[in-house]
Each structure stands twice: as C-alpha cells, then as structure tokens.
C-alpha cells in the first residue's frame, strides 16, 4: 500500500511538470524566446477526461486497504493519513500551476462511488471479524478464562496453563516414512516419544481427530463474527442517525430559499 502511494504521488507530481516543460521548450524555440504569460497559461496541460475517475479510484483503493486489512496491519490508517496530507498539497499544486482551469460541472453527489464505498465497508466489517476470530488467540483465551471446558485447573479470569491447554500431543512413532528428523539429537534430549503442537486434536481410532473442544472453539469463533458484525453495524447506524448528512441549519436555509423562490414566482404573475 505504501509503495503504491509513493509511486502515484511521484507520477502525479512529475508527469505534469515534465509535459509542461517540454511544451514550454518547444514554444520558446518557435518564437525566439518571446514567451508571454497568456501563452504559458495556454501551454499548460489539460485535465484528462478521466482525471476525477483516477482521483476517486486512488482514494477508494486506499480506503479498501485501510478498512479490509486494518486488523492485520494497524499502521495502515497512519500511512493513509500521511498520504492524504501530501495528496492534498500535490493536487493543489497540480490544479493551480500545472493544469489549465478545468470546466466546472454540477453533480448531486459522488455517484456510483458511494455504493462502492458502502460495499467495501460491509465487506471490511466481515473481513476484520474473521481475522480477529480465526487468526488470533482472542477467542480461545476468552473461552479458557471464563469456562471450565479444559483439562487444566485454573482460576476464573486467569490464563494460567493456557499454552499447555492449547497444545495437542503427537507421538513420534506415527511419523510417516521419510518424514522424521534425520538427526533427533537423542544424545541431548534422550528418547523422545511424543511432542506437542498448536491445535485441539487427540489420537483416536488410528488418526488425530479434532476434539470436542475444537468444535466448541469453532462455534464460539463463528458466534463472535456474528456479534462483532451486528455491533459494528449498530454503532454505524447510531452515528449516522446522530450526525445527519445535511446539518439542520442547512436544511432550514434550503427550505427558506425554496419558499422565497416560489413566492417570487407567484408575485410576478
């Protein structure tokens, strides 16, 4: 994400400057170094037909990186903030000194980009919920702290012996052919008959099968995703209700202007 931001900023800064420099160089040669102010303005680059599309696309991609993977990379919002501060200055420089003034067009809102941002937001909530539930120890630790579904004795709210409870036993005699370590360092560790690994499995009927605790943890993980998703959407809806898109004062002013316009129309008839 950071590399792409640096590349885009460098391209946005250097490309218009180089293009304008080349056009100015050609104009000076053609007119014996007489290069007036209006000619310099005329030789500035024009805003591409898809200029705003590229700007929106850049921001939406950044928003997707930040929201979809923030649980995996918590520094993403910080880098996005730094990039946006630089982006504001670069765009201002580009619009003021490197491009001709673009023709203004009216638009009610940002169009289809709003729906895209909404979709990315909804997917991001689910993505972060699954990342927290399935790639971290948050759920297993909470289950261990507040339930007795473990073979290790511990006080409620304590993580004592949690690591041991999260390990499963593997018997070295069950190594498949040519998969055992070439040097088991028996002179150091002695005759090792079993080792432990992170999972909730047990040896049963000739295979290592998930334990009941494994399915219990899995059910809690899925329940956490559902609760997390509902809690976030509830919070978003509350914020949306408390902070309306259009302030109350602006709504009143719009209604007043509409009333005055109608009154002026009727009085003129």
């Amino acid at each position: 994400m950071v590399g792409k931001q640096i590349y885009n900023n460098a391209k946005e800064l250097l490309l218009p400057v180089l293009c304008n420099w080349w056009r100015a160089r050609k104009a000076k040669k053609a007119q014996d170094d007489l290069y007036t102010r209006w000619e310099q303005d005329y030789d500035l680059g024009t805003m591409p037909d898809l200029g705003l599309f590229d700007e929106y696309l850049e921001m939406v991609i950044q928003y997707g990186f930040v929201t979809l993977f923030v649980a995996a990379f918590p520094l993403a919002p910080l880098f996005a903030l730094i990039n946006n501060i630089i982006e504001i200055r670069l765009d201002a420089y580009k619009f003021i000194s490197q491009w001709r003034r673009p023709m203004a067009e009216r638009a009610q809102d940002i169009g289809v980009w709003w729906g895209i941002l909404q979709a990315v937001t909804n997917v991001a909530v689910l993505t972060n919920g699954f990342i927290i539930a399935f790639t971290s120890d948050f759920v297993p630790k909470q289950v261990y702290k507040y339930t007795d579904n473990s073979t290790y004795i511990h006080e409620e709210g304590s993580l004592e012996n949690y690591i041991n409870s999260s390990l499963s036993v593997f018997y070295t005699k069950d190594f498949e052919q040519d998969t055992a370590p070439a040097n088991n360092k028996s002179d150091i560790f002695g005759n090792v008959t079993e080792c432990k690994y992170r999972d909730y499995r047990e040896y049963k009927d000739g295979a290592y099968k998930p334990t009941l605790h494994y399915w219990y943890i899995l059910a809690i993980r899925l329940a956490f995703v559902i609760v997390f998703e509902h809690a976030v959407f509830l919070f978003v809806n509350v914020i949306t209700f408390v902070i309306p898109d259009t302030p109350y004062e602006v709504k009143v002013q719009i209604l007043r202007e509409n009333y005055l316009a109608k009154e002026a129309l009727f009085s003129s008839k």
Side-chain angles (χ1 to χ4, degrees):
M1 184 187 80
V2 178
K4 185 175 180 61
Q5 291 174 345
I6 295 175
Y7 169 76
N8 288 336
N9 290 336
K11 184 178 70 173
E12 289 185 16
L13 175 64
L14 296 178
L15 190 60
V17 172
L18 293 176
C19 291
N20 290 335
W21 172 81
W22 181 253
R23 280 191 291 266
R25 183 171 176 271
K26 291 173 63 177
K28 287 181 180 179
K29 285 184 177 180
Q31 300 185 14
D32 299 329
D33 294 333
L34 180 61
Y35 197 37
T36 61
R37 178 73 258 179
W38 71 268
E39 289 175 317
Q40 296 177 34
D41 293 340
Y42 180 78
D43 287 334
L44 290 177
T46 58
M47 182 176 179
D49 294 335
L50 297 179
L52 282 182
F53 176 86
D54 294 333
E55 297 292 337
Y56 276 118
L57 181 62
E58 183 181 357
M59 290 296 101
V60 169
I61 292 176
Q62 176 185 269
Y63 179 76
F65 273 118
V66 171
T67 56
L68 289 171
F69 310 112
V70 64
F73 185 50
L75 287 177
L78 175 61
F79 286 115
L81 174 63
I82 297 174
N83 173 75
N84 289 342
I85 294 173
I86 298 174
E87 183 81 17
I88 291 173
R89 307 311 305 170
L90 288 180
D91 286 345
Y93 172 76
K94 182 172 60 178
F95 276 94
I96 292 174
S97 63
Q98 300 301 315
W99 281 355
R100 300 181 198 169
R101 179 182 297 177
M103 295 295 294
E105 296 183 10
R106 286 189 175 186
Q108 183 176 0
D109 49 34
I110 63 175
V112 71
W113 295 105
W114 174 252
I116 295 174
L117 291 173
Q118 286 287 92
V120 171
T121 301
N122 295 336
V123 174
V125 173
L126 294 176
T127 300
N128 285 284
F130 277 102
I131 289 176
I132 295 173
F134 287 89
T135 65
S136 69
D137 287 338
F138 176 76
V139 172
K141 284 182 178 180
Q142 302 307 312
V143 172
Y144 182 83
K145 286 167 63 175
Y146 300 109
T147 65
D148 295 329
N149 194 9
S150 174
T151 57
Y152 292 89
I153 300 175
H154 64 283
E155 297 181 0
E156 184 177 353
S158 171
L159 289 174
E160 184 181 0
N161 289 323
Y162 165 74
I163 296 298
N164 288 329
S165 71
S166 64
L167 300 177
S168 299
V169 176
F170 176 79
Y171 298 101
T172 56
K173 63 181 179 61
D174 294 327
F175 272 120
E176 296 181 358
Q177 187 177 4
D178 298 330
T179 60
N183 181 10
N184 58 13
K185 298 183 179 181
S186 58
D187 55 330
I188 300 176
F189 301 107
N191 184 23
V192 179
T193 59
E194 63 181 41
C195 57
K196 292 187 176 183
Y197 60 98
R198 291 292 301 272
D199 206 348
Y200 298 99
R201 293 179 178 270
E202 61 181 353
Y203 185 78
K204 190 175 182 181
D205 299 330
Y208 292 89
K209 298 180 179 181
T211 63
L212 182 62
H213 194 62
Y214 170 88
W215 299 110
Y216 184 72
I217 293 291
L218 179 61
I220 298 296
R221 290 182 193 270
L222 295 175
F224 171 81
V225 173
I226 296 174
V227 172
F228 177 82
E229 172 255 336
H230 279 72
V232 172
F233 284 139
L234 177 62
F235 177 76
V236 171
N237 290 332
V238 170
I239 295 298
T240 304
F241 177 78
V242 173
I243 306 175
D245 294 337
T246 306
Y248 176 76
E249 293 79 5
V250 176
K251 287 184 178 180
V252 172
Q253 189 65 25
I254 292 174
L255 293 175
R256 181 176 181 276
E257 290 180 357
N258 292 335
Y259 171 77
L260 292 177
K262 291 180 180 179
E263 187 177 16
L265 179 63
F266 287 133
S267 62
S268 64
K269 291 183 178 180

